[in-house]
Amino acid sequence: MMPPRCEVCDLAFDPGLGGDSVAFADLEDLPEGMTGQPEGLAWFCRRHLEAARSLRHLELADACRRLRAGSGGES
């Protein structure tokens, strides 16, 4: 998995201090035995986490576009 860096603001953070990964509608599991970060899964700092979670029914790219435009949480 990629190091924790917010998809919205590019902030690197320690997930133990806030922030988490969010799985979106386009989540694709990695093939058996493969390591890395799957498509549709992204990190968000604590400032953007709740808005990102409210958009998890969307594909990652669509959710990030809304979050960056400042319309997070609206569907």
Side-chain angles (χ1 to χ4, degrees), residues 29-66:
D29 290 330
L30 293 173
E32 178 103 17
M34 185 176 215
T35 60
Q37 181 155 328
E39 293 292 322
L41 182 71
W43 288 105
F44 295 90
C45 68
R46 67 176 154 200
R47 180 175 161 221
H48 296 109
L49 181 58
E50 289 310 312
R53 285 180 174 159
S54 75
L55 297 173
R56 63 183 160 212
H57 62 282
L58 300 174
E59 292 186 359
L60 173 59
D62 292 334
C64 287
R65 205 171 2 265
R66 289 184 187 209

Side-chain angles (χ1 to χ4, degrees), residues 1-5 7 13 15 20-23 27 30 34-44:
M1 221 165 142
M2 294 175 62
R5 184 171 289 278
E7 284 289 319
F13 64 92
D20 202 355
S21 59
V22 177
L27 178 66
L30 293 173
M34 185 176 215
T35 60
Q37 181 155 328
E39 293 292 322
L41 182 71
W43 288 105
F44 295 90

